[in-house]
């Protein structure tokens, strides 16, 4: 895999049906020409992603939704796009015939987002095609927020475009939009509260309430480090040997650990979000750490998205460390 900052070259790979990992303001994506089914198939192959999990199509200009979404496009789609794009918002809507079935895992909808990261924007513009991209990690593992996190995944990629700055740190908010109803399929930095304030006249449904809609982002286990990860609970009086402790500066924790990392010293959730996956990657990579503990955050506002990711990350290890 070639690593560099040559956006022109990266765009060439996309045009030629290749795979390019690139920075976005949320996490790194693994991109291919969304209109080329063979190129998109290579994404699933590289990530070992099950084919039932659909991809997000990234665009550089709002007019591109006209070729991706089936017409008529609900006015609410335009309202949301004009307010939140470019940015960390993904809109799911009925797909047009132009979108290959493999992109949407055979569903009749497609997810679209216009990223704000300058490198991503320029890449998509130069490629001249919409770019399908999931996060650039092997299926089920931690999302990459720095280019080194992509490198360590050892995937078959043609080019890794580097741009480690302006990072929000967790994936976009995913919304299903139909008529006057917005369903939050994946929480993110754009919160339910913000959406309600922006479109007060629409119905905002939180994921799970509408059982007819499925989004693999609703899987219980996801975003996991390769080492056991547990929530820190008040009952834990002592951590086992070789523990790593991730704190957000929320509560007064006085525990000894082999390695302690703060995502924020002051409980600032924006800062904590930006550093969340990086802190988890650092623990995963550190040979001195066998078990990771992480402080919880209050589940309001941005805390909803953070806890969503952490619940999935801890799921396979059981949410609670056995103190006995
Ligand atoms: O911030 C992000 O969204 C990043 C960057 C690279 O843009 N991408 C990302 O992609 O997180 P991925 O593949 O890791 O997550 C895509 C999410 C999944 O939860 C998937 O189930 C959902 O979007 N999704 C995609 N297409 C969908 C569709 N047609 N209907 C429902 N959910 C969909
Ligand atoms: Mg992902």
């Amino acid at each position: 895999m070639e690593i560099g900052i040559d956006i022109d070259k990266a765009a060439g790979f996309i045009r030629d049906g290749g795979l390019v990992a690139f920075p976005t303001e949320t996490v790194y994506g693994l991109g291919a020409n969304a209109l080329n089914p063979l190129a998109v198939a290579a994404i699933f192959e590289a990530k070992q992603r099950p084919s039932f999990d659909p991809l997000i199509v990234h665009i550089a200009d709002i007019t591109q939704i006209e070729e991706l979404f089936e017409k008529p496009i609900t006015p609410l789609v335009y309202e949301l796009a004009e307010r939140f794009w470019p940015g960390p918002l993904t809109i799911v809507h009925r797909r047009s015939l132009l979108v290959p079935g493999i992109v949407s895992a055979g569903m009749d909808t497609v997810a679209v987002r216009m990223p704000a990261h300058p490198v991503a924007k320029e890449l998509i513009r130069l490629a001249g095609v919409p770019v399908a991209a999931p996060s650039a990690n092997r299926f089920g593992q931690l999302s990459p927020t720095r280019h080194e996190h992509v490198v360590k995944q050892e995937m078959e990629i043609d080019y890794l475009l580097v741009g480690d700055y302006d990072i929000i740190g967790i994936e976009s908010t995913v919304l299903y939009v139909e008529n006057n109803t917005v369903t939050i399929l994946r929480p993110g930095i754009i919160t339910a509260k913000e959406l309600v304030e922006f479109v007060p006249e629409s119905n905002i449904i939180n994921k799970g309430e509408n059982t007819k809609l499925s989004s693999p982002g609703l899987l219980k286990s996801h975003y996991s480090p390769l080492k056991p990860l547990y929530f820190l609970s008040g009952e834990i009086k002592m951590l086992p040997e070789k523990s790593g402790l991730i704190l957000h500066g929320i509560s007064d924790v006085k525990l000894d650990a082999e390695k302690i990392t703060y995502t924020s010293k002051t409980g600032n959730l924006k800062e904590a979000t930006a550093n969340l996956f990086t802190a988890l990657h650092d623990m995963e990579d550190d040979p001195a750490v066998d078990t990771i503990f992480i402080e919880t955050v209050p589940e309001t506002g941005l805390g909803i998205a953070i806890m969503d990711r952490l619940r999935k990350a801890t799921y396979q290890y059981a949410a609670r460390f056995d103190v006995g």
Side-chain angles (χ1 to χ4, degrees):
M1 168 178 53
E2 201 180 332
I3 305 178
I5 55 168
D6 187 340
I7 307 182
D8 247 323
K9 188 164 192 180
F13 277 116
I14 299 266
R15 274 196 305 274
D16 294 344
L19 289 189
V20 172
F22 63 98
T24 83
E25 74 279 23
T26 57
V27 301
Y28 270 78
L30 178 55
N33 177 355
L35 305 180
N36 176 343
L38 275 181
V40 174
I43 297 179
F44 283 90
E45 173 93 26
K47 277 193 62 132
Q48 293 163 328
R49 180 174 174 118
S51 58
F52 62 76
D53 198 356
L55 307 179
I56 296 173
V57 176
H58 297 71
I59 57 175
D61 190 288
I62 194 166
T63 58
Q64 289 177 284
I65 64 174
E66 284 159 30
E67 59 175 27
L68 298 170
F69 289 151
E70 186 187 80
K71 289 180 186 140
I73 299 171
T74 309
L76 188 53
V77 166
Y78 281 101
E79 280 180 51
L80 289 162
E82 273 157 19
R83 164 69 182 78
F84 293 105
W85 284 355
L89 185 80
T90 295
I91 299 177
V92 176
H93 196 58
R94 286 182 324 276
R95 76 175 151 99
S96 77
L97 293 174
L98 194 69
V99 179
I102 187 170
V103 171
S104 339
M107 295 197 286
D108 58 4
T109 53
V110 63
V112 178
R113 168 166 116 78
M114 193 200 298
H117 195 287
V119 175
K121 276 203 316 211
E122 188 62 2
L123 172 70
I124 302 162
R125 196 184 67 76
L126 289 175
V129 288
V131 174
S135 49
N137 52 277
R138 284 179 189 258
F139 185 70
Q141 296 191 19
L142 294 173
S143 299
T145 45
R146 304 189 55 82
H147 80 272
E148 294 91 343
H149 304 158
V150 181
V151 173
K152 89 184 202 200
Q153 301 283 325
E154 296 182 349
M155 298 180 292
E156 287 279 328
I157 303 176
D158 293 301
Y159 195 83
L160 166 53
L161 185 57
V162 176
D164 295 335
Y165 51 90
D166 291 345
I167 290 285
I168 289 170
I170 58 167
E171 306 80 357
S172 60
T173 305
V174 179
L175 304 180
Y176 174 67
V177 182
E178 193 55 83
N179 300 325
N180 214 23
T181 302
V182 172
T183 306
I184 302 174
L185 297 178
R186 180 174 69 184
I189 200 150
I190 295 170
T191 60
K193 183 164 171 278
E194 217 174 320
L195 291 166
V196 171
E197 278 165 14
F198 178 65
V199 277
E201 70 285 357
S202 65
N203 307 307
I204 311 271
I205 304 174
N206 263 300
K207 60 169 188 168
E209 288 177 32
N210 186 343
T211 47
K212 270 200 300 196
L213 284 172
S214 71
S215 178
L218 305 182
L219 289 176
K220 281 184 172 157
S221 178
H222 214 122
Y223 317 110
S224 285
L226 298 169
K227 294 172 182 174
L229 171 72
Y230 299 102
F231 283 129
L232 193 64
S233 78
E235 290 143 53
I236 302 175
K237 300 293 175 241
M238 215 175 102
L239 298 179
E241 266 176 47
K242 301 191 79 178
S243 284
L245 180 57
I246 301 175
L247 300 172
H248 320 294
I250 304 231
S251 52
D252 188 21
V253 177
K254 291 202 174 62
L255 287 170
D256 267 340
E258 183 68 34
K259 175 184 175 112
I260 300 183
T261 304
Y262 284 87
T263 59
S264 164
K265 288 263 183 194
T266 58
N268 176 330
L269 292 192
K270 260 207 167 130
E271 193 185 3
T273 303
N275 295 317
L276 189 70
F277 279 119
T278 302
L280 286 163
H281 275 287
D282 287 347
M283 292 294 182
E284 182 176 86
D285 297 343
D286 191 333
V289 172
D290 280 348
T291 315
I292 312 166
F293 291 84
I294 190 159
E295 189 181 15
T296 58
V297 302
E299 242 165 311
T300 57
L302 186 47
I304 294 173
I306 296 178
M307 287 304 287
D308 166 76
R309 303 306 189 277
L310 291 181
R311 275 218 182 79
K312 287 171 183 155
T314 54
Y315 185 79
Q316 60 171 310
Y317 303 112
R320 194 170 278 265
F321 177 69
D322 185 5
V323 272

